[in-house]
Amino acid sequence: MAIIKCPECNHEVSDQARSCPFCGVDIAGNILLCPDCGKILLKTARVCPNCQCNLSSVRPVPSPVVDDRPQPERRQPRRPRIKEKKEGGKGLWVIFSLVFIVLMGVGGYYYLKQRQHTQAMEAAYAALTENYDIDAHSQFLKDYPASPYGQAIAEKMDELRSVEKEWTAVALADSKEKYENFLKQHPKSFFTQTCTAKLDSIDWVEASTENTQESYQRYLSLHKQGKYAKLAAQTKAELDKLAVSSNEKAIVRSVIYRYFDAVSAHDNETLQTIASERMRGEAQGLMGAAGSTHYTIVTAIGVTKAPSSVQDVYNFVAKFKVEKRTMAGGATNVELYNGSSVITPDNRVVALRLTPAESVEGY
């Protein structure tokens, strides 16, 4: 089969077509081919209009054999039908999915915010357990007006207002007894710290006024972490250094008794062991004639400590009254003196001062 141009209308047509579909002229068996120029002409042409070739001896192009018998219909194999998805349904599914995701996101966000709010509320309420500030409770009610703890908070605020009223009366009274009673009744309140500070100050004034080891120890036992605890401990330590034990008092008293006994007896050997060189010289001036002068301690001997010229070394100071009896020409003369003596830690008399006294009383 070849495509030719219709010799009548010049449109392209199959050379096996029965007729031209454009002009209707017969084609099959009704055309011939010019042997010189190859132009397609109707078989009725005698001369080629293109090349003037004589066509009387040219035979027409044979018509193809056409089987006019009816041909059996060929059936195309059945293809499985593919169910086409409707574009509209797919779009709705996408929209539904997006809406679902958005709703889940919004719901999750609000759930998270609500959970955080609840956790914050629980933490704030727990913090109020040991909080006695009315303003803090009031702020809780403002922050969480729908809290299930609203009633409990309101009741506690009433109690706190009552305690505040009591404290105002105690503060105006400003007495140790009132402060102590308030702490017993309200060991935990908004005013506990202030009340404790007040008692701390009062007890410190008492301790420092008394100024003894016992008073500072009493303050420390009541206020271990008090405002003046460090100063009290330091002062007590200094007083401890000046404290004289019973044994030390006994030794010092013995030295004083032995000193005056040695002076009365002109016992230079004893003076050599208990008195400094200077004091042995002064003792000679106190002796008088042998057997004529006698010294007697007539009061208790008070013993204290005093810092020496050497750091952290303390001497003992003995205070007493001593009677001097002098016998001359059968007569006895009695004189009374206030005595003050310094004794070193190695139990030696290094200083002695005697001043006239009017009587034993008042010493």
Side-chain angles (χ1 to χ4, degrees), residues 98-284:
L98 290 174
V99 171
F100 178 76
I101 293 173
V102 170
L103 290 176
M104 287 295 291
V106 172
Y109 171 79
Y110 280 105
Y111 170 77
L112 180 61
K113 294 295 289 184
Q114 182 61 32
R115 184 178 180 182
Q116 292 175 340
H117 177 80
T118 301
Q119 290 176 342
M121 178 187 67
E122 294 290 345
Y125 180 72
L128 293 178
T129 302
E130 297 295 328
N131 190 317
Y132 306 97
D133 186 0
I134 296 178
D135 292 339
H137 289 72
S138 178
Q139 187 62 47
F140 179 89
L141 293 179
K142 291 179 181 178
D143 294 340
Y144 308 100
S147 167
Y149 307 113
Q151 183 63 31
I153 292 294
E155 292 175 357
K156 186 176 179 181
M157 288 178 68
D158 290 340
E159 295 177 4
L160 295 178
R161 291 188 183 97
S162 176
V163 173
E164 183 179 31
K165 185 176 181 181
E166 289 183 41
W167 169 251
T168 301
V170 169
L172 290 174
D174 194 29
S175 72
K176 182 176 180 179
E177 181 182 1
K178 294 290 185 180
Y179 290 130
E180 288 176 338
N181 289 336
F182 182 85
L183 277 182
K184 288 179 181 179
Q185 295 175 7
H186 309 287
K188 292 183 178 181
S189 75
F190 182 72
F191 307 100
T192 298
Q193 186 174 356
T194 304
C195 188
T196 302
K198 285 284 188 180
L199 286 172
D200 187 340
S201 180
I202 291 173
D203 289 337
W204 169 250
V205 170
E206 291 180 354
S208 58
T209 300
E210 185 177 336
N211 196 33
T212 63
Q213 294 167 284
E214 293 76 13
S215 66
Y216 290 117
Q217 183 58 51
R218 184 168 59 251
Y219 171 85
L220 289 171
S221 64
L222 293 172
H223 309 280
K224 294 180 180 180
Q225 304 297 325
K227 181 179 179 180
Y228 308 97
K230 185 176 181 180
L231 181 57
Q234 292 174 345
T235 306
K236 181 180 179 299
E238 292 298 324
L239 290 177
D240 287 342
K241 294 177 182 179
L242 298 176
V244 183
S245 67
S246 298
N247 185 53
E248 289 174 328
K249 289 179 180 179
I251 293 174
V252 170
R253 288 166 181 163
S254 174
V255 171
I256 296 297
Y257 280 122
R258 289 176 62 196
Y259 178 83
F260 281 102
D261 286 346
V263 169
S264 299
H266 291 221
D267 186 356
N268 290 314
E269 183 178 351
T270 299
L271 290 174
Q272 186 73 28
T273 61
I274 64 172
S276 66
E277 183 178 355
R278 184 172 69 85
M279 288 309 301
R280 290 196 299 271
E282 290 187 7
Q284 299 302 319

Side-chain angles (χ1 to χ4, degrees), residues 59 66 150 268:
R59 300 183 66 178
V66 179
N268 290 314

